[in-house]
Amino acid sequence: MSIPEDLVRFTESASAVPAGLPLVIGLTGFSDAGSTIAQAVTYLRDSLSYDDVAIFDNDQLLDYRARRPIIQFEHDHLTNYEPSRLALSLAYDELRRPFLLLTGYEPDFRWESFTQTVMGLIERFDVSHTTWVHGIPMPVPHTRPLGAAVSGNREELIESLSIWRPSTQVPANVLHLLEYRLQENDLPVTGFALLIPHYLTETEYPAAALTALELYTAASGLVFPSDELREDGRQFITRVDEQVAENGELHKLVSSLEARYDTYMEGTEQRPPLTMDEHNLPSADDIAAELERYLAGRRASDGDSDAPNR
């Protein structure tokens, strides 16, 4: 498959990529509940060694007015311009096993061309299988394990890991299109939609990033460091639990979600946890606002720079 020459440039490292590696993808964009991918990708890039293989052209793919790059202002002059980045890298897991890692922003423009380019990269490097993860808000409790809706054509992963299998229409992102094209060509692909508690959607939820890494591992066999995320997750959940215990409406919401989740997981015909009575429970905006005020208050009183910042 041809690769559009104006969308991507290859680096010298491209010639060193072994054939048959797995491809792991994490793009931020339309939906990233709990900052699932933003956290996971940052963690991987801070923890692993990697070299860029192919770099995409921002001017072809990015709407700068919607997602402006960052520049530093120092007293009387500008420094450290930080453009957005979308790149394919040759990375190494904790056991020094190589894999391909595609990270950055979801393109605003030229979805079909971008998808064709990624398909061409998959063909060029003889990728063994492709895995991507994203987070979506759902009425599930933070006190239960995070689950996922699994799509793609690797039936063993769908059977073992998918806890929600709806028939519905959803707004697509570019990786949905990529997955669809890969399936059309009978190339192995798995998509994980991680179900994030709706009242934690606007926070940086460490358990979501940790679960994303675990799903990448389940699909690829790669091993990623996780100790720091686990500790951040324990601290975060402790703070959320404290707030829930102090707020009757929050406690009512979580208890209701727990009951529905447990019923759903038992496989009964009773009402599943994926529906809510909006007249009896607080809205997602109300809960998110409460959590944001609480966590901001904890940071102010504790002086904890490592606390979640949203």
Side-chain angles (χ1 to χ4, degrees):
M1 181 175 292
S2 64
I3 298 176
E5 296 181 357
D6 62 333
L7 280 192
V8 67
R9 67 174 177 85
F10 292 97
T11 71
E12 294 181 358
S13 298
S15 61
V17 177
L21 299 182
L23 171 61
V24 168
I25 305 178
L27 302 184
T28 58
F30 172 70
S31 175
D32 189 22
S35 295
T36 299
I37 296 305
Q39 290 183 93
V41 167
T42 298
Y43 191 74
L44 287 177
R45 289 199 167 274
D46 288 345
S47 304
L48 305 177
S49 61
Y50 61 90
D51 295 301
D52 288 341
V53 169
I55 301 173
F56 288 84
D57 185 357
N58 289 342
D59 284 354
Q60 299 294 323
L61 299 173
L62 183 65
D63 182 354
Y64 287 92
R65 292 172 300 177
R67 288 186 279 189
R68 296 183 181 273
I70 300 300
I71 195 166
Q72 183 72 29
F73 185 85
E74 292 287 350
H75 306 296
D76 57 3
H77 63 286
L78 300 174
T79 63
N80 298 331
Y81 173 65
E82 297 181 15
S84 300
R85 181 180 182 281
L86 176 57
L88 179 70
S89 305
L90 174 61
Y92 299 86
D93 76 352
E94 200 166 31
L95 302 180
R96 292 295 300 171
R97 292 178 298 184
F99 67 101
L100 290 169
L101 178 65
L102 176 60
T103 58
Y105 57 87
E106 178 189 23
D108 296 305
F109 307 119
R110 300 186 64 179
W111 275 24
E112 292 286 357
S113 297
F114 172 77
T115 299
Q116 180 184 345
T117 300
V118 177
M119 295 279 288
L121 294 170
I122 288 171
E123 180 180 341
R124 170 173 175 159
F125 297 119
D126 191 24
V127 166
S128 59
H129 47 77
T130 301
T131 306
W132 68 285
V133 178
H134 67 134
I136 60 174
M138 293 295 288
V140 294
H142 73 279
T143 54
R144 299 293 186 267
L146 289 175
V150 187
S151 58
N153 53 17
R154 298 180 65 187
E155 292 297 329
E156 75 282 3
L157 293 175
I158 295 173
E159 289 301 318
S160 62
L161 297 175
S162 186
I163 70 166
W164 187 47
R165 305 185 187 187
S167 294
T168 186
Q169 292 182 330
V170 297
N173 66 49
V174 75
L175 295 181
H176 285 122
L177 176 58
L178 176 63
E179 179 182 318
Y180 183 76
R181 297 291 187 228
L182 290 172
Q183 288 185 144
E184 285 185 326
N185 289 271
D186 294 323
L187 295 172
V189 59
T190 308
F192 294 99
L194 193 56
L195 311 181
I196 307 299
H198 70 293
Y199 51 92
L200 298 178
T201 296
E202 301 300 324
T203 69
E204 290 186 354
Y205 186 25
L210 178 61
T211 303
L213 298 186
E214 291 172 343
L215 292 174
Y216 286 136
T217 294
S220 66
L222 298 166
V223 177
F224 303 113
S226 60
D227 289 347
E228 183 178 337
L229 275 178
R230 292 183 189 279
E231 179 58 30
D232 289 346
R234 283 190 287 267
Q235 294 178 14
F236 182 89
I237 290 300
T238 296
R239 293 174 178 179
V240 172
D241 285 342
E242 288 173 352
Q243 185 182 12
V244 170
E246 296 169 359
N247 186 307
E249 289 298 305
L250 292 180
H251 187 271
K252 177 182 177 181
L253 172 72
V254 173
S255 296
S256 176
L257 294 178
E258 287 174 338
R260 296 176 184 183
Y261 180 98
D262 293 342
T263 297
Y264 181 80
M265 295 302 291
E266 289 171 1
T268 70
E269 296 297 322
Q270 299 178 28
R271 189 181 188 188
L274 304 177
T275 58
M276 293 183 65
D277 181 350
E278 296 180 356
H279 297 290
N280 295 327
L281 296 175
S283 70
D285 290 341
D286 291 339
I287 300 303
E290 286 290 339
L291 284 171
E292 186 172 357
R293 283 194 291 271
Y294 169 75
L295 294 175
R298 292 290 297 186
R299 289 194 304 277
S301 61
D302 296 345
D304 184 359
S305 60
D306 293 329
N309 58 13
R310 280 199 250 170

